[in-house]
Amino acid sequence: MSDNLSPATRDLIARVEAAVPTQQTPEFTRYAEGLVCVSVCTSLPDDAATARINLMPPMGDRGEWVLSEAAEFADGSPHPNPCDINPQTHRHLLFEW
C-alpha cells in the first residue's frame, strides 16, 4: 500500500480486502485468467472447485464459471492435468463462462 494514503483510506482498503473471498489456499489456487476462462490448481472435487471459483464470478452479467469440456488447455496440455508441484493431490482445471 502507498505511504501517501490517509488512515481512513487504509482502513477502507483493509475492510474491502477482508471481505473478498480468498482464491489462494493450499487446496485451491486461482493462477491464470483470460477474457473467457480461468485456470486453477486444486485438490478439491470438481463440484467444490466450481463452487469455490464462483465465489468470484466473471465481471458484469456473464453468469457463472463452469468446468470446461475442452480436452486441452491453450498450451496443448491435457485438461485436466496433474499439477507439476503436487501431482499426487492436485490437478489443474479450466473454467469458462
Side-chain angles (χ1 to χ4, degrees), residues 18-64:
V20 174
T22 183
Q23 297 284 292
Q24 304 293 331
T25 63
E27 70 277 349
F28 185 93
T29 301
R30 182 179 184 141
Y31 68 89
E33 187 169 343
L35 293 175
V36 297
C37 60
V38 62
S39 301
V40 302
C41 178
T42 187
S43 63
L44 299 173
D46 290 353
D47 59 340
T50 301
R52 181 74 163 274
I53 196 71
N54 277 305
L55 291 174
M56 294 181 71
M59 298 296 288
D61 190 23
R62 295 198 238 171
E64 294 186 334

